[in-house]
Amino acid sequence: MDIRPLTPDYAVAPQIDPQDFAAIKAAGYTRVIDNRPDAEIPASHHASTMQAAAEAAGLEFVVNPVIGGALTMANVTAQAEAMATATGPVLAYCASGNRSSICWALAKAKEMPAEELIGLPARHGYNLEGLRPQIEALAKA
């Protein structure tokens, strides 16, 4: 498991395993967001299996599947709501953490400057520079 904190309240990770939830809980996270569609992964990591493991560890679990290259505003809105209603720090995961970073950046466009929304994920190797026009447009909306 490779947790990559973008802020004190939000981190991303590449694919996690069902047995990782106890460590995620111990690290202080209260909610996990699954940004990975079931069609991409084996049944052992499908949302229903992951949710059962998360809840058994005492974590909240939100399913918000983002199809690579087909992110929607519904995904961004769902991510924003899952972050806003969490009772503590949130960990979101996908295949690499990139889609979870993108959802976060777009959801936070009205709250943080584009430089931070691009720069914080860049520390972990996520290049969101191409999203600058979208982030700036959402900030003005």
Side-chain angles (χ1 to χ4, degrees):
M1 179 175 59
D2 181 12
I3 295 176
R4 302 167 183 181
L6 302 185
T7 69
D9 295 327
Y10 187 84
V12 300
Q15 179 67 53
I16 58 175
D17 294 314
Q19 64 269 21
D20 291 334
F21 289 110
I24 292 166
K25 173 84 171 171
Y29 295 93
T30 62
R31 176 171 282 172
V32 175
I33 303 173
D34 175 1
N35 291 134
R36 196 131 194 231
D38 282 349
E40 293 182 2
I41 50 180
S44 62
H45 288 71
H46 280 183
S48 59
T49 301
M50 299 298 279
Q51 182 165 2
E55 290 174 354
L59 290 161
E60 298 171 346
F61 192 83
V62 175
V63 180
N64 182 24
V66 176
I67 297 170
L71 174 76
T72 67
M73 280 310 296
N75 289 128
V76 174
T77 301
Q79 198 86 357
E81 183 177 325
M83 293 184 300
T85 60
T87 59
V90 173
L91 173 67
Y93 72 92
C94 57
S96 68
N98 191 58
R99 284 176 274 184
S100 298
S101 295
I102 291 169
C103 284
W104 168 82
L106 295 174
K108 294 290 189 179
K110 289 185 184 231
E111 300 171 32
M112 296 172 68
E115 283 305 315
E116 286 184 48
L117 295 171
I118 293 165
L120 292 171
R123 295 180 309 172
H124 299 287
Y126 304 118
N127 182 356
L128 277 55
E129 186 60 47
L131 292 175
R132 185 178 294 275
Q134 289 171 287
I135 291 169
E136 291 174 348
L138 287 171
K140 295 175 186 174

